[in-house]
Amino acid sequence: MAELLAPALPGRARMRHSAPAAVSALALIAMIGVCSSLQPGVLSVQGLTLVLSATVPLVIAAQAQMTLMAVGDIDLGIGAFVGLVTVVTATKLSSSPLVGGLVLLGLVAAYALLGLLIHLRGVPSLIATLGASFVWLGLGLFLLPTPGGSTPEWLAAFGAWQPAGFPAPLLPILLVTALVHLLASRGSSGVRMRALGSNPVALGRAGLRPLTSRVIAYAMAGALGVASGLVLASQTGGGDVSSASSYTLMTVAAVILGGGSFSGGVAVPWGAAIGGVTLGLVSVVLSLLDVRSDLQSAVQGGIVLAVLAGRVLVGKVLR
């Protein structure tokens, strides 16, 4: 089975495979360089902790998006889903840990069920996940109409954790990305998911069920969405169903920046992490440059387009 998806990538082919992530890495280095030139304290442990904190939930959500893009789907509901998790965390998980934990498990199961329905009914993932986003939004508003609530003490302690000599945000970024890398790039489930995205006919001929692969991918995305929401709640200290509304498109951009593909068949956990951190740092750079808040989205989009143009240019050179 692995032969279907993991052909040898010698020389130039391997360079083409890794070039997009390399371009994003250069953009990330440039962002850090600009930040440090504007604010030298950024390169200290405390400075890195401050600028990287906001990128942690985005990177984890980008891993969820990458998982679904690997099977050829796109999730337009991940932002609302992460926001719903923050609401559940600030209400149910805080008042009754057992009930809250069961609700979070139920949300993961709901994501797996969404993948099941998409596969069985042949509904485009764009439509299904967009529809699901309204469900997540409605549930969040029902549980917590206005931002508020409070996170459990253990989660708040995690959000405030600052080890000596090491930027705390790097730890969850590295751990989650390494775990997704093992599952998506090394494990049999990852091989199945990439097969579903690149050649579902071959997957079926190999005796493996595409349905199982899609359900596993959606379950993984749901679990990562829950993890992203928990981290976001630990940082904000409360719940807000709209707190991650920008994640939907930012996670897609992070995956593409990191070397992912809209057509599926490509799993780039480390690239998605680099893309997520890069996008998160763009906001920091714009704030340090005193760019007006109403212009930041436009400037951020321009920077993303410039990086994507660099990726296309490098791809043509290596072709």
Side-chain angles (χ1 to χ4, degrees), residues 19-28 30-31 253 256-258 275 278-279 282 300-314:
V23 172
S24 296
L26 290 176
L28 173 60
M31 291 296 165
I256 297 300
L257 284 175
T278 302
L279 288 175
V282 168
Q300 192 174 32
I303 293 174
V304 171
L305 288 175
V307 176
L308 290 176
R311 170 184 162 172
V312 172
L313 180 62
V314 171

Side-chain angles (χ1 to χ4, degrees), residues 195-205 208 210:
L196 179 61
S198 61
N199 196 338
V201 176
L203 180 67
R205 288 176 178 173
L208 300 174

Side-chain angles (χ1 to χ4, degrees), residues 71-112:
V71 300
D73 292 350
I74 295 179
D75 187 356
L76 294 184
I78 186 65
F81 184 77
V82 172
L84 173 60
V85 172
T86 67
V87 170
V88 172
T89 303
T91 54
K92 300 299 182 184
L93 191 63
S94 182
S95 60
S96 176
L98 178 60
V99 174
L102 291 175
V103 172
L104 293 178
L105 287 176
L107 291 178
V108 176
Y111 242 71

